[in-house]
């Protein structure tokens, strides 16, 4: 009998998430799955394109609700797939799961090669250009390290890494396994397909869903106006 899989996410459940994080695949293969939306606990409420309203979705509004669910007998031995980067901002979620010694899995992908500047050089540059941001990052980093050292947050039981940068970097995990990025998986599924949007030769513009990119909300960056964005793209490609 397969173990229950619970996704814990600070991003809304969408059709793309269900596909990319293998939720659809697990359900199709008879695995019991739940998706715990903890947006209300970790960041401002927001909307996502392609949001799903399904019977395995749970939207949590408080840490008490979260802990009560974790303590249930059917959830203690579940595998928790963490769809949020471990940071000071979400430490309480990780702390509760660590308290009950839950099995946590993380998928790391999308890392870019490190800049040539040293850590000290980057720190000095941030101190000069963003002094408030520097001290905030310093506080967050020291706080998270302290939580790890004190055992308040336990290492991941398993981390999947995609790409050479993450493969060669140290992970806060008992075990690591390499896997393909979501984009590569989609390419492998479609590369032999005869379907085509056009009959002529064409170029592909790789968009990152910029106007609705979740990272804006996670990093407090200024959002992009969708009307202006798509208007400029249409003008560039003369559509």
């Amino acid at each position: 009998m397969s173990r229950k899989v619970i996704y814990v996410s600070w991003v809304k459940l969408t059709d793309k998430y269900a596909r990319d994080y293998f939720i659809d695949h697990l359900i199709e293969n008879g695995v019991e799955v739940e998706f715990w939306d903890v947006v209300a606990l970790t960041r401002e409420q927001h909307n996502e394109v392609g949001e799903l309203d399904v019977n395995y979705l749970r939207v949590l509004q408080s840490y008490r609700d979260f802990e009560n669910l974790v303590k249930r007998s059917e959830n203690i031995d579940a595998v928790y797939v963490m769809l949020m980067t471990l940071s000071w901002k979400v430490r309480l979620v990780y702390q509760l799961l660590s308290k009950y010694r839950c099995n946590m899995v993380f998928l790391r992908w999308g890392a870019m090669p490190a800049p040539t500047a040293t850590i000290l050089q980057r720190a000095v540059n941030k101190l000069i250009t963003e002094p408030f941001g520097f001290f905030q990052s310093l506080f967050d980093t020291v706080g998270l390290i302290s939580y790890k050292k004190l055992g308040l947050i336990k290492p991941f039981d398993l981390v999947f890494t995609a790409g050479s940068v993450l493969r060669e970097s140290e992970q806060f995990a008992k075990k690591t396994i390499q896997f393909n990025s979501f984009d590569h998986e989609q390419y492998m599924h479609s590369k032999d397909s005869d379907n085509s949007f056009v009959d002529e030769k064409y170029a592909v513009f790789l968009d990152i869903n910029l106007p609705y990119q979740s990272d804006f909300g996670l990093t407090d960056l200024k959002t992009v106006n969708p009307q202006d964005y798509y208007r400029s793209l249409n003008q560039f490609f003369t559509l």
Side-chain angles (χ1 to χ4, degrees):
M1 182 178 178
S2 60
R3 299 170 73 175
K4 183 177 183 180
V5 177
I6 299 174
Y7 289 82
V8 183
S9 175
W10 64 355
V11 176
K12 299 285 188 178
L13 175 61
T14 65
D15 50 358
K16 187 178 187 303
Y17 252 50
R19 181 197 69 189
D20 288 350
Y21 285 99
F22 313 107
I23 298 175
D24 291 339
H25 175 77
L26 290 176
I27 293 175
E28 289 170 1
N29 285 274
V31 178
E32 183 180 2
V33 172
E34 287 188 2
F35 188 98
W36 294 3
D37 176 335
V38 295
V39 171
L41 282 59
T42 55
R43 54 184 293 202
E44 292 183 1
Q45 290 287 359
H46 65 287
N47 295 318
E48 294 277 358
V49 175
E51 283 186 37
L52 298 179
D53 183 12
V54 289
N55 59 6
Y56 60 83
L57 170 64
R58 291 182 178 270
V59 180
L60 307 182
Q61 300 297 331
S62 70
Y63 282 104
R64 176 178 294 179
D65 293 341
F66 182 77
E67 184 169 12
N68 287 337
L69 275 179
V70 172
K71 290 191 299 183
R72 288 187 179 181
S73 58
E74 67 268 24
N75 296 333
I76 287 295
D77 292 328
V79 175
Y80 287 82
V81 180
M82 307 303 293
L83 302 186
M84 59 179 75
T85 302
L86 176 55
S87 66
W88 183 252
K89 191 173 186 178
V90 298
R91 68 192 183 281
L92 295 180
V93 173
Y94 278 94
Q95 187 178 356
L96 277 173
L97 292 172
S98 298
K99 175 182 176 181
Y100 293 98
R101 311 307 297 173
C102 296
N103 298 290
M104 293 188 291
V105 174
F106 188 62
L107 287 74
R108 295 199 66 191
W109 69 289
M112 300 294 288
T116 54
T118 65
I119 294 177
L120 178 60
Q121 289 172 326
R122 296 200 300 269
V124 171
N125 180 65
K126 190 173 182 67
L127 176 61
I128 295 172
T129 58
E130 302 177 66
F132 177 80
F134 170 81
F135 286 108
Q136 183 67 59
S137 297
L138 180 63
F139 174 83
D140 293 353
T141 301
V142 172
L144 191 61
I145 291 174
S146 300
Y147 268 57
K148 292 178 179 179
K149 294 292 186 182
L150 293 171
L152 297 176
I153 296 178
K154 75 181 192 71
F156 292 106
D157 294 274
L158 177 63
V159 168
F160 292 92
T161 61
S164 59
V165 172
L166 293 176
R167 182 180 66 242
E168 297 166 3
S169 63
E170 184 177 353
Q171 306 296 329
F172 184 59
K174 298 177 182 177
K175 183 179 180 180
T176 60
I177 295 178
Q178 295 180 49
F179 82 125
N180 294 328
S181 70
F182 311 132
D183 294 333
H184 181 78
E185 286 292 331
Q186 290 306 307
Y187 163 72
M188 294 300 292
H189 284 303
S190 63
K191 69 184 183 71
D192 296 325
S193 173
D194 294 328
N195 295 331
S196 177
F197 290 107
V198 294
D199 296 327
E200 305 167 356
K201 290 185 177 180
Y202 60 92
V204 176
F205 173 71
L206 298 179
D207 198 352
I208 58 169
N209 196 27
L210 190 60
Y212 305 101
Q213 177 57 251
S214 300
D215 288 349
F216 284 126
L218 302 179
T219 56
D220 298 322
L221 293 174
K222 185 178 179 181
T223 57
V224 175
N225 181 280
Q227 287 76 25
D228 294 340
Y229 177 74
Y230 290 114
R231 185 185 304 112
S232 65
L233 283 183
N234 287 336
Q235 289 174 349
F236 178 81
F237 289 110
T238 63
L239 297 177

